[in-house]
Amino acid sequence: MFLREHRHALFSDGFQAELAGLYADASQGQPPVPPAQLALALIMQAYQGVSDDEVIEATVMDRRWQLVLDCLDAERPPFSKGTLVGFRARLIEANLDRRLVERTVELAAATKAFGPRALRAALDSSPLWGAGQVPGHVELDGTRPAEGSGCDRASARVSRGGG
């Protein structure tokens, strides 16, 4: 319930404006799903280690997910798998995936509501760290993965089932 209780602090007006900026060039199509809702879903997905399909299912079947995503008693998912995948790609491209994780970990540490080390460990090993899955990524122990180790975005997403 950490995310539900602290989502307003995590998604300040300024950060929400940055997330909304990911869609500045999208003038056609369906009205956008609130970026903060998609970002919360990605954090929960990363922490629980579930697939994109499981995220969509959880938005309808799991009241915990519904509480956090503010879609209580939803009979239909609040967003599609394609919307989630597309948002993740935009987040990674704009390097906002790192900011999202850092903000979440900092908030956990500041509120003492959640162990920031455990949270970072879970999020660091997830497909949310799209920009962190390139060869320049520094691991928690301060080392870098070896060149050619397969730590690129595509192989990391495929191996974790995140895309």
Side-chain angles (χ1 to χ4, degrees), residues 126-146:
S126 78
L128 178 61
W129 267 119
Q133 294 169 351
V134 295
H137 175 62
V138 176
E139 299 294 333
L140 285 175
D141 63 4
T143 63
R144 293 183 184 273

Side-chain angles (χ1 to χ4, degrees), residues 70-130:
D70 202 22
C71 61
L72 198 57
D73 297 324
E75 294 180 13
R76 296 182 48 163
F79 47 82
S80 69
K81 178 180 173 180
T83 299
L84 183 67
V85 170
F87 178 75
R88 181 188 305 112
R90 287 174 185 250
L91 198 70
I92 290 167
E93 186 177 318
N95 288 320
L96 287 175
D97 56 337
R98 290 176 181 232
R99 295 251 339 269
L100 176 60
V101 170
E102 290 303 322
R103 289 177 63 88
T104 306
V105 171
E106 287 170 10
L107 185 60
T111 62
K112 297 183 183 355
F114 203 93
R117 294 185 91 173
L119 180 61
R120 175 171 300 286
L123 296 180
D124 277 351
S125 64
S126 78
L128 178 61
W129 267 119

Side-chain angles (χ1 to χ4, degrees), residues 2-138:
F2 166 79
L3 289 174
R4 175 149 176 87
E5 292 173 9
H6 299 285
R7 66 180 167 195
H8 298 293
L10 179 60
F11 295 102
S12 65
D13 290 342
F15 191 52
Q16 285 196 56
E18 281 186 72
L19 293 172
L22 296 173
Y23 294 96
D25 62 343
S27 60
Q28 298 179 357
Q30 300 289 328
V33 174
Q37 185 181 45
L38 292 166
L40 283 169
L42 289 176
I43 291 169
M44 291 180 63
Q45 177 185 29
Y47 187 74
Q48 292 189 0
V50 299
S51 71
D52 293 331
D53 290 325
E54 290 170 310
V55 169
I56 302 307
E57 181 179 327
T59 64
V60 177
M61 303 298 291
D62 190 323
R63 290 186 66 78
R64 296 168 298 178
W65 281 70
Q66 291 176 349
L67 281 168
V68 170
L69 299 179
D70 202 22
C71 61
L72 198 57
D73 297 324
E75 294 180 13
R76 296 182 48 163
F79 47 82
S80 69
K81 178 180 173 180
T83 299
L84 183 67
V85 170
F87 178 75
R88 181 188 305 112
R90 287 174 185 250
L91 198 70
I92 290 167
E93 186 177 318
N95 288 320
L96 287 175
D97 56 337
R98 290 176 181 232
R99 295 251 339 269
L100 176 60
V101 170
E102 290 303 322
R103 289 177 63 88
T104 306
V105 171
E106 287 170 10
L107 185 60
T111 62
K112 297 183 183 355
F114 203 93
R117 294 185 91 173
L119 180 61
R120 175 171 300 286
L123 296 180
D124 277 351
S125 64
S126 78
L128 178 61
W129 267 119
Q133 294 169 351
V134 295
H137 175 62
V138 176

